[in-house]
Amino acid sequence: GYTALHWAAKHGHFESVRLLLSAGARIDLSNQNQETPSDLAFHREQFEIAWLLLRGETEQHFHTYSSSS
């Protein structure tokens, strides 16, 4: 299913995406079609949101890697 982040990304709600990310929303979850929120944003040409999500994915991976070291 869709998370709130999927929905906000798909429909171009930049501030909602930003708020959800700051609240710790998981950006790596896929919907029933195996699409992440960044996939949905990109396919809907919501490029600012896609960039924000891709940047967030990088930061989450870096934080996870740093915490495990």
Side-chain angles (χ1 to χ4, degrees):
Y2 276 59
T3 65
L5 190 56
H6 281 92
W7 191 90
K10 181 178 179 177
H11 295 286
H13 295 280
F14 184 86
E15 286 302 316
S16 297
V17 169
R18 194 179 60 74
L19 181 65
L20 288 164
L21 290 175
S22 69
R26 291 201 38 204
I27 52 183
D28 59 337
L29 298 177
S30 297
N31 65 13
Q32 65 275 12
N33 296 322
Q34 301 305 308
E35 298 167 307
T36 63
S38 59
D39 293 331
L40 293 172
F42 183 76
H43 292 304
R44 285 293 194 90
E45 297 183 4
Q46 304 292 342
F47 298 122
E48 282 186 292
I49 292 173
W51 178 82
L52 181 65
L53 291 165
L54 290 172
R55 191 179 79 188
E57 287 175 7
T58 302
E59 290 173 3
Q60 275 191 359
H61 289 297
F62 177 76
H63 178 69
T64 300
Y65 176 77
S66 296
S67 296
S68 64
S69 298

